[in-house]
Amino acid sequence: MLRVKMVKLMLALIIGIALPQLVAAQQQLTLKDALTFALQNNANVRKAKLDIEGGRYKVQEVRAQALPTINGTAGLTYNPIIGQQVVDFGGQLQTLKFGQKWNSTAGVQLSQQIFNQQVFTGLQAARSSEEYYNLTSQLTEEQIIELVANNYYQVLVNRQQLNVIDTNIKNVRVVEKIVSNQYKNGLARKIDVDRINVNITNLTTQREQVINGITQLENQLKFSMGMPVSTEIELPFTELTAVSQLPVFTDSVDLANRTEVKLLDNQDKLLSLQRKAYVAEYYPSLSLSGNYTYSSQSNGFDFLTSNSSAIGFGSSAIGLTLKVPIFNGFLTRSKIRQADVNIKKAQVDRRESTNSLNLAYENAKIQLRNNLNTINSQRKNADLAQEIYKSTQNNYNNGLASLTDLIDTENALTEAQNSYTQALLNYKVAEIQLIKSNGNIKSLVQ
């Protein structure tokens, strides 16, 4: 009795340990889950976030130019032969030695920019650069969301196509049994049985191709998410649903919410600051400097009066340096003109980008209208093909239709069902483009 209780307890423990893993293995990957995972693990997203961190350090680097600079110095010199100078004392020439064999020095130097317009402009540019990296990271996230969503729907469509093929194989196998029985009873020809078998073989081959295609698409989805390709995933079938009506359209799109436009604004600011930095080369600069040095000299080894016979003394100086540019061969003028050209190019890019964003929005609306019409048409076409197939199958069973008619209607049904599924995919892709055009692509993650 005790042994039975122990076995039950061990089984309960094993089930308790394995159950969470089983549930985790069966957990379905929704679109929101896929996008959330991608935003945390995609390589491009992670590198963009590292660029933000690097941008902060870049700001600190530029800020350092406006802070004081302090350097310490120390030196020890041994003079085996002390230099001499010839001196005229009342018409008599004499030689005098200057210095000692051992000289040591230690000091500190300080410098501080008081006015330097280039440095101040560089600080503004560094802050704008930090904003640029933030916007670039945001744009990267939006691009990854679009990529993962498109890959996700591609997997769903191919899985639905696999379901269509499985259904058709099931239907054809039913017909194959009927034809085989008819052949055994002398009511069908051998060629009819062969034609059905050929059709089953073609559908089976097509099924294998679709399965391989699904595996490739799943691997592409996992790669775009930043997930190991070896990870098993399961997508819910109900994610790709039928569409009955269009979303609400506006006459024009507000581009202020688009990250691309915000990036253009930031680039304009950076180009303007770059021009100001070049103009600042015409400005004078003023800097403060100061130093203190302590020196020691002795005929014996000495470092800073460590020898009792050493002589030590200190010295210091404080100064201002004014630098006034006068002429540099028109170098600054050339830089300013190049900056003007870059600003004009940016204006052209802005007009082109704005037109491109408006074009994408208008095309997305057109695609949605066209795809909705196609969905409605293909849905009716698929329903009609299903009715024709059932009618033809019934007529064939009653000897009123040929096997050729039955196979043709079965092929037409498969084509209609696949066309309907593809129309759903095209609508979803266009829907993503519309959401992106409105600047709301991140709403897919919410």
Side-chain angles (χ1 to χ4, degrees):
M1 189 70 177
L2 179 60
R3 182 177 298 177
V4 173
K5 291 183 178 180
M6 290 295 294
V7 171
K8 290 183 177 179
L9 179 60
M10 292 179 64
L11 288 174
L13 290 174
I14 293 174
I15 293 174
I17 294 173
L19 185 58
Q21 297 179 352
L22 181 62
V23 173
Q26 293 177 344
Q27 183 177 2
Q28 293 182 332
L29 182 70
T30 64
L31 176 60
K32 180 180 178 180
D33 295 335
L35 297 177
T36 301
F37 188 94
L39 293 180
Q40 296 174 352
N41 297 276
N42 180 271
N44 291 332
V45 173
R46 296 173 67 180
K47 287 190 293 184
K49 293 186 182 300
L50 290 175
D51 286 338
I52 294 177
E53 183 179 357
R56 289 197 296 265
Y57 298 143
K58 184 65 176 179
V59 173
Q60 297 176 10
E61 175 188 349
V62 177
R63 185 183 294 119
Q65 300 179 28
L67 298 176
T69 301
I70 302 175
N71 294 313
T73 61
L76 178 64
T77 304
Y78 173 67
N79 301 304
I81 301 176
I82 300 175
Q84 302 182 44
Q85 293 288 335
V86 178
V87 182
D88 186 353
F89 286 101
Q92 293 184 354
L93 299 178
Q94 297 183 9
T95 58
L96 300 176
K97 293 182 178 180
F98 290 91
Q100 301 290 315
K101 289 186 176 181
W102 290 93
N103 296 329
S104 60
T105 60
V108 61
Q109 298 175 346
L110 178 144
S111 62
Q112 170 65 53
Q113 294 282 350
I114 297 178
F115 177 79
N116 191 325
Q117 188 61 36
Q118 287 182 270
V119 174
F120 300 152
T121 305
L123 283 172
Q124 294 177 305
R127 297 189 189 98
S128 296
S129 296
E130 188 174 9
E131 180 185 357
Y132 171 81
Y133 288 121
N134 285 321
L135 290 172
T136 301
S137 176
Q138 181 177 339
L139 180 61
T140 301
E141 290 181 353
E142 293 176 359
Q143 293 171 342
I144 294 303
I145 290 174
E146 179 185 2
L147 175 63
V148 172
N150 287 333
N151 290 339
Y152 188 91
Y153 286 126
Q154 286 280 0
V155 175
L156 289 181
V157 164
N158 278 265
R159 287 193 172 186
Q160 289 195 9
Q161 290 178 349
L162 179 62
N163 292 332
V164 170
I165 294 176
D166 288 339
T167 301
N168 292 334
I169 290 177
K170 182 179 178 180
N171 294 334
V172 173
R173 289 193 184 279
V174 172
V175 176
E176 189 267 339
K177 290 181 181 180
I178 296 174
V179 174
S180 296
N181 290 331
Q182 291 177 344
Y183 175 69
K184 290 178 182 179
N185 297 323
L187 300 176
R189 299 172 299 174
K190 178 66 168 57
I191 191 174
D192 294 334
V193 178
D194 294 338
R195 291 181 64 187
I196 290 295
N197 289 330
V198 169
N199 200 19
I200 292 176
T201 301
N202 291 337
L203 287 173
T204 303
T205 302
Q206 185 179 357
R207 184 179 188 277
E208 293 176 355
Q209 293 175 347
V210 172
I211 290 176
N212 292 333
I214 291 174
T215 302
Q216 292 177 337
L217 290 172
E218 286 181 347
N219 290 339
Q220 183 63 37
L221 171 63
K222 289 182 282 188
F223 179 79
S224 63
M225 292 168 54
M227 176 183 289
V229 178
S230 59
T231 304
E232 295 293 333
I233 60 174
E234 181 181 355
L235 276 62
F237 176 76
T238 55
E239 279 287 330
L240 191 60
T241 57
V243 181
S244 58
Q245 62 182 8
L246 291 170
V248 178
F249 295 145
T250 58
D251 294 334
S252 61
V253 61
D254 183 12
L255 298 180
N257 292 329
R258 294 297 298 269
T259 306
E260 293 91 337
V261 174
K262 295 178 181 178
L263 267 173
L264 291 173
D265 294 338
N266 182 264
Q267 290 174 358
D268 290 343
K269 185 188 300 183
L270 287 173
L271 289 173
S272 177
L273 289 173
Q274 181 65 70
R275 187 183 187 282
K276 288 182 179 180
Y278 291 149
V279 173
E281 295 182 8
Y282 287 128
Y283 297 173
S285 61
L286 181 65
S287 61
L288 171 69
S289 63
N291 66 78
Y292 173 81
T293 304
Y294 183 83
S295 302
S296 177
Q297 296 185 4
S298 174
N299 279 327
F301 174 79
D302 169 65
F303 186 75
L304 301 181
T305 65
S306 60
N307 190 324
S308 59
S309 63
I311 300 175
F313 54 91
S315 63
S316 64
I318 299 176
L320 290 174
T321 302
L322 177 65
K323 180 181 178 181
V324 180
I326 297 177
F327 180 72
N328 61 359
F330 303 110
L331 175 63
T332 301
R333 186 184 69 176
S334 300
K335 291 181 179 180
I336 294 174
R337 291 180 177 178
Q338 291 180 53
D340 291 335
V341 172
N342 290 332
I343 291 175
K344 293 178 181 178
K345 288 172 61 178
Q347 293 172 351
V348 175
D349 290 340
R350 173 180 288 275
R351 287 193 294 269
E352 183 180 18
S353 298
T354 301
N355 193 29
S356 176
L357 294 175
N358 287 324
L359 174 64
Y361 178 70
E362 295 299 327
N363 285 345
K365 292 194 297 183
I366 295 173
Q367 288 295 329
L368 283 173
R369 293 191 183 98
N370 291 340
N371 290 330
L372 181 59
N373 293 333
T374 303
I375 287 173
N376 293 332
S377 300
Q378 292 299 334
R379 184 192 298 115
K380 295 177 181 179
N381 194 31
D383 294 340
L384 180 60
Q386 182 70 37
E387 293 178 4
I388 293 174
Y389 177 75
K390 289 182 179 180
S391 177
T392 304
Q393 188 179 35
N394 184 58
N395 291 337
Y396 177 78
N397 294 336
N398 295 320
L400 301 176
S402 65
L403 181 61
T404 301
D405 294 335
L406 182 61
I407 294 177
D408 289 342
T409 55
E410 188 272 331
N411 292 334
L413 175 61
T414 301
E415 183 179 354
Q417 290 171 331
N418 287 334
S419 297
Y420 173 68
T421 305
Q422 185 65 38
L424 287 176
L425 172 64
N426 294 338
Y427 183 90
K428 287 295 184 180
V429 172
E431 186 179 46
I432 292 173
Q433 290 298 318
L434 181 70
I435 296 173
K436 178 182 176 181
S437 298
N438 289 325
N440 298 321
I441 189 69
K442 286 193 173 181
S443 64
L444 296 175
V445 190
Q446 300 173 355

